Amino acid sequence: MSSLVRFLFSLAAAIAAASLLAASLRRRVQPPHLPDQLNPGPMAARNRSFVLWLHGLGDSGPANEPIRTFFSAPEFRLTKWAFPSAPNAPVSCNHGAVMPSWFDIHELPMSPGSPQDESGVLKAVENVHAMIDREVAAGIHPDNIFVCGFSQGGALTLASVLLYPKTLGGGAVFSGWVPFGSSVIERVSAEARKTPIMWSHGMADKVVQFEAGQAGPPFLQSAGMSCEFKAYPDLGHSIAREELASLEGWIKGRLRASQDKQS
């Protein structure tokens, strides 16, 4: 196979994975949009929450905004959502093609033994932490902050939650992987170890292999963290409606617990 053909194949795999998520979301019926803020009173403002969604390679934040329409429960009435876009950067697995990317990816499909861009991941983590810190400074309790992400965004979600110095409401990883080695475990604070992790992965995933996702829970266990892992037998590299329904229930339960603790 020529280098040109290999390049086109790897580029198509990454772009198709990102566009598949956006297209599948656009095809779904969307419930009524809910505003970020409804001029809450002091008590309601204290209970506001923040959900940060990190997209996959080659995708964009705006393309993922339909995700928020699946969270129509009353607990999300005062939730602020953010869908940032990754900067454009050359990606090694696509022979240096420039596209939205949180950090470099050396090869696809991603396997448990794939090389990782640890320095790039840590730089991206700093930017995610800055977004979280802004919301904390604005008055949102860390217990009410949730970081979620798909594919490359899922890997960045995991890294960001592990390395944030405070306990967050939770981190949700969809079709992601562990983006660094075990030496990072030493940097995980006692407070961060209390942050729960939800991990979902399709067993038919050909872009981020299911085995790469399976490596997540043991890694987190070695860091002293809890992880709810759920496998989806017929799911490829995409997000299913069932996964979003599980995420809604997962966040709802933690918001209620957080509000009871703060009352």
Side-chain angles (χ1 to χ4, degrees):
M1 183 183 293
S2 70
S3 60
L4 176 59
V5 172
R6 286 196 299 270
F7 164 70
L8 293 175
F9 176 81
S10 57
L11 177 61
I15 296 296
S19 60
L20 177 61
L21 170 62
S24 63
L25 289 171
R26 285 194 294 268
R27 287 196 298 269
R28 297 186 175 104
V29 177
Q30 299 180 359
H33 174 76
L34 297 175
D36 284 341
Q37 302 181 42
L38 299 175
N39 191 26
M43 289 297 291
R46 186 186 66 178
N47 292 328
R48 283 181 58 223
S49 57
F50 176 62
V51 177
L52 174 62
W53 186 276
L54 303 173
H55 65 74
L57 176 67
D59 206 349
S60 72
N64 285 262
E65 289 184 6
I67 288 172
R68 66 182 295 177
T69 64
F70 290 88
F71 296 76
S72 57
E75 287 83 357
F76 296 93
R77 187 172 63 90
L78 299 174
T79 296
K80 177 179 179 181
W81 292 78
F83 296 87
S85 293
N88 289 322
V91 179
S92 295
C93 70
N94 290 326
H95 292 244
V98 175
M99 62 181 61
S101 180
W102 300 110
F103 51 86
D104 196 15
I105 295 178
H106 295 285
E107 67 178 27
L108 287 177
M110 183 66 63
S111 70
S114 293
Q116 303 295 339
D117 174 25
E118 292 195 14
S119 61
V121 171
L122 296 177
K123 182 177 179 181
V125 163
E126 292 180 0
N127 293 330
V128 174
H129 286 180
M131 296 181 221
I132 297 173
D133 288 340
R134 283 196 292 270
E135 301 307 322
V136 173
I140 298 182
H141 196 282
D143 283 353
N144 293 336
I145 293 178
F146 299 84
V147 185
C148 314
F150 172 74
S151 191
Q152 187 190 42
L156 180 55
T157 290
L158 183 69
S160 300
V161 170
L162 262 64
L163 297 176
Y164 194 70
K166 300 177 182 178
T167 305
L168 297 175
V173 178
F174 296 90
S175 305
W177 68 90
V178 179
F180 37 45
S182 58
S183 61
V184 174
I185 292 176
E186 301 174 359
R187 300 179 53 179
V188 182
S189 70
E191 290 300 310
R193 294 174 197 267
K194 300 176 186 177
T195 300
I197 304 293
M198 171 185 172
W199 195 310
S200 302
H201 211 110
M203 296 179 69
D205 196 330
K206 303 301 183 184
V207 178
V208 179
Q209 295 177 354
F210 181 67
E211 292 76 12
Q214 279 185 308
F219 180 90
L220 291 167
Q221 185 177 10
S222 67
M225 300 181 70
S226 64
C227 177
E228 298 179 25
F229 185 89
K230 187 171 183 180
Y232 291 80
D234 300 318
L235 183 65
H237 196 63
S238 184
I239 293 183
R241 188 185 190 98
E242 183 183 355
E243 289 181 286
L244 294 177
S246 295
L247 177 62
E248 182 187 31
W250 190 75
I251 294 179
K252 278 169 57 178
R254 278 151 185 79
L255 284 176
R256 286 195 293 266
S258 173
Q259 291 169 9
D260 289 344
K261 183 171 63 176
Q262 295 172 41
S263 61

